[in-house]
Amino acid sequence: MFERPRGTNDWGPEDMARRRQVERAFVELAESFGFGEVSTPTFEPLELFTAKSGPGIVEELYAFKDRGGRDIALRPEFTGSILRFYLSDLRGLPKPVKLYSTGPVFRYEEPQKGRYREFYQLNAEIIGGSPLPSDAEVLALAVGTMRAIGLKQVRARIGHIGMLRTFLPFGPLDQAKLLHALDKRNFPALEAELARLGRPELAGPMRKVVGLTGDASILEEAREILGGAGKEAVGYLHELSEMLYHYGLPASDYRFDMGVVRGLDYYTGMVFEIDSPNLGAEKQVGGGGAYDLAQVFGGEPVPQTGFALGLDRLVMAAEAEGTLAPARPLDAYVIPIGDHMRGRAVDIVSTLRAAGLRADIDLVSRGPSKNLDYANAMHARYAVLVGEREIASGSVAVRDMKTGVQRGVALQTLVAALRGP
Ligand code: AMP
C-alpha cells in the first residue's frame, strides 16, 4: 500500500463538487469584472522566486535540480509566473491587463489543519492600472467572491505597507528584515534591528502603529504617530474607502488595520487580508495588495495589484457557515430489464443526456431490484425501467425514488417528465 505524501490531499466526488462550486463562483465573478484567464506552468526556474522574495524563500519551496542540472521550483504562488508571462509576452496588450488564474501551488510547510504542502489558489492581478481604482477593483472582486459563496462571517482588514516603508528609511534588505519582524510581531527582533541601524527611537512608534485597528478614526491616529510619513497613505486610504462605498462595500464591511504586514517582501502600497473566524489558527482565507515587481524582474516600473484566495480554506469556511448547495444528484438511472433491452436503454440514456439531464445506466447487468438499490444509493431522483412490453407500446416505467410511486410514461414526454420541478 502507498500513502500519499505528507501535506497533500485526495478529494472525493463530494469534496470536488464543493471545491468546483467555490471555484466557479470566483471564475464567474472575475469574468464579470472583465478579467481574462491565463495558465502558467506549475514549475519555474528557481531564480524567478528568489529574485522576488530573496534567497530565504528556498527553505519554503519544493526546489530541485532537473536532469539537465537546472534549478527548478514548484510554484509557491502565481504572481511571479504571471509577471514573467506579462514581461515576455503580454506587455503589448492595452493597459490595464486584468488576469486571473486558478490551480495548485506548493510550499514546504509544516502541515496542519488548513495548511498543506499542496493547496489551491484563486488568483487575480491588475497590471498597469492606476493604483487607486485598481486597488478598489481587486478588493471588490475579493470581497465579492466571499459574498458569492455566501460567506457572512469573514472579515477584511485593509492596511498600507507604503506607510511603514516611508517611516523606515533604510535599504530594501534592512526594510525586509524589519517588516518581517513586524509581520511576526517579534518586537525584540524589531528593537534589536533598529538599534543596529542606529535608530532605536523608531521602535516605539512602529509598535504603536501596527497595533492600530478599527474604523477610519485610526487613520488619524496613525497620522499623528507617524507625522509626515503617514500623510500620503492616510489620504490614500480615505479615498479608497470612498471608492469602495461605490462598489457596495460600506466601511462597516471591513476594518482598517495598520498591522497587516504581508509575509512576502514585495508589497509597496495598500495591503489586505481576509479572515474567517471559523477556521482556528489558519484563519486567513485570502490576501493581497499593491506591489511593483516588474522592476525586480528587469522591466520598467508598472503599478500592479492583486490577491490570492486559498480555495481549501474558502471551502472549509463555507462548510462551517453551511452556505454551499448540496451536489446536484442524478436525475435518472436507466435500467434495462434483461440484456436484450440494453440497446434501447442506451438510446434512452443518450436522449436524456443530450437534453441536459444527469443520467446514468446499469453497466453490470444487475437484476431490477438490485438496480433499484443502486439507484437509491446514488440518490437518483428517478429510475427508468426499460422493459420489452412497455417499449412495444412506446413507453417506459418511471419510478420516483423518493415516494416509490411507479407509472408509465410515453417516450415522447420522458424528458419533460424527468425534468420536473
Ligand atoms: P499567501 O500567498 O501566503 O498570501 O496565501 C494566499 C492564501 O492562500 C492564504 O490566505 C490562504 O488562504 C492560502 N494558503 C496559504 N498557505 C496555505 C497552505 N499552506 N495551505 C492551504 N492554504 C494556504
Side-chain angles (χ1 to χ4, degrees):
M1 275 313 201
F2 297 110
E3 279 183 20
R4 55 171 197 256
R6 205 162 123 72
T8 62
N9 292 286
D10 296 313
W11 302 111
E14 284 180 19
D15 299 318
M16 284 311 296
R18 284 193 288 269
R19 291 168 70 81
R20 289 289 186 210
Q21 201 180 129
V22 170
E23 182 185 24
R24 231 176 354 251
F26 165 74
V27 167
E28 278 171 16
L29 197 63
E31 299 261 349
S32 83
F33 271 56
F35 284 75
E37 182 171 18
V38 288
S39 175
T40 55
T42 43
F43 60 89
E44 294 274 4
L46 173 64
E47 304 91 277
L48 182 70
F49 306 113
T50 50
K52 181 161 71 73
S53 308
I57 187 82
V58 177
E59 303 287 294
E60 297 166 33
L61 295 178
Y62 275 88
F64 51 94
K65 275 199 194 297
D66 72 5
R67 285 175 193 278
R70 300 171 199 89
D71 284 309
I72 297 289
L74 302 185
R75 66 179 176 207
E77 40 109 76
F78 284 93
T79 307
S81 304
I82 288 173
L83 253 285
R84 175 191 54 66
F85 185 29
Y86 168 78
L87 290 173
S88 64
D89 292 281
L90 308 179
R91 239 192 303 196
L93 294 181
K95 309 262 180 327
V97 181
K98 300 169 76 176
L99 307 171
Y100 79 88
S101 294
T102 65
V105 298
F106 309 84
R107 295 182 193 174
Y108 200 80
E109 303 203 75
E110 214 26 62
Q112 62 182 69
K113 187 165 179 282
R115 194 203 296 170
Y116 312 121
R117 288 181 172 175
E118 178 181 25
F119 58 101
Y120 207 93
Q121 283 191 338
L122 311 174
N123 189 85
E125 316 276 347
I126 300 180
I127 305 170
S130 298
L132 185 76
S134 306
D135 285 352
E137 179 97 339
V138 296
L139 268 162
L141 177 58
V143 175
T145 301
M146 308 290 148
R147 288 181 177 170
I149 302 164
L151 295 176
K152 294 214 162 57
Q153 293 165 24
V154 287
R155 314 186 67 172
R157 296 176 288 116
I158 302 174
H160 199 295
I161 207 150
M163 175 189 271
L164 306 181
R165 287 192 188 280
T166 316
F167 195 67
L168 298 170
F170 309 107
L173 277 183
D174 289 327
Q175 241 183 24
K177 267 192 214 151
L178 293 165
L179 292 174
H180 194 72
L182 277 172
D183 183 27
K184 299 274 175 261
R185 299 294 188 272
N186 185 345
F187 295 122
L190 175 79
E191 278 158 22
E193 198 55 32
L194 283 170
R196 187 181 67 76
L197 293 164
R199 299 294 302 271
E201 77 283 2
L202 297 184
M206 270 290 91
R207 280 184 78 140
K208 262 197 217 149
V209 168
V210 298
L212 291 175
T213 161
D215 62 18
S217 65
I218 67 127
L219 298 180
E220 300 317 314
E221 287 180 53
R223 187 179 357 223
E224 266 167 40
I225 297 167
L226 297 179
K231 195 159 166 252
E232 203 179 312
V234 163
Y236 185 86
L237 289 176
H238 275 302
E239 280 183 61
L240 182 66
S241 182
E242 237 168 74
M243 195 77 78
L244 290 176
Y245 175 80
H246 292 286
Y247 277 99
L249 267 177
S252 54
D253 275 18
Y254 55 87
R255 277 186 297 155
F256 288 106
D257 185 344
M258 297 304 111
V260 180
V261 184
R262 310 266 307 136
L264 292 173
D265 299 330
Y266 53 83
Y267 290 98
T268 49
M270 181 279 294
V271 279
F272 71 97
E273 290 176 346
I274 304 177
D275 298 333
S276 165
N278 297 312
L279 299 188
E282 300 299 322
K283 64 184 189 325
Q284 200 189 110
V285 292
Y291 56 93
D292 194 335
L293 268 188
Q295 246 178 324
V296 180
F297 289 174
E300 64 274 20
V302 48
Q304 292 139 39
T305 179
F307 65 80
L309 308 178
L311 176 80
D312 308 82
R313 293 187 194 168
L314 283 179
V315 173
M316 287 165 74
E319 281 167 355
E321 292 194 39
T323 64
L324 296 179
R328 194 178 133 198
L330 268 186
D331 295 307
Y333 182 69
V334 179
I335 303 172
I337 311 290
D339 256 343
H340 63 298
M341 296 310 289
R342 178 162 300 276
R344 297 310 308 272
V346 170
D347 293 341
I348 290 169
V349 82
S350 302
T351 306
L352 300 181
R353 288 169 177 169
L357 292 166
R358 296 192 173 191
D360 197 1
I361 182 168
D362 164 79
L363 296 178
V364 286
S365 303
R366 287 192 185 97
S369 101
K370 286 259 165 55
N371 254 329
L372 286 175
D373 290 345
Y374 181 78
N376 207 21
M378 292 293 109
H379 305 295
R381 289 167 57 225
Y382 296 102
V384 176
L385 297 119
V386 184
E388 197 170 347
R389 202 150 20 98
E390 288 84 353
I391 284 291
S393 67
S395 67
V396 287
V398 170
R399 185 188 184 92
D400 183 317
M401 294 304 295
K402 209 173 258 158
T403 62
V405 173
Q406 194 165 310
R407 64 193 169 107
V409 174
L411 283 173
Q412 295 98 311
T413 60
L414 183 61
V415 167
L418 298 184
R419 204 164 257 147

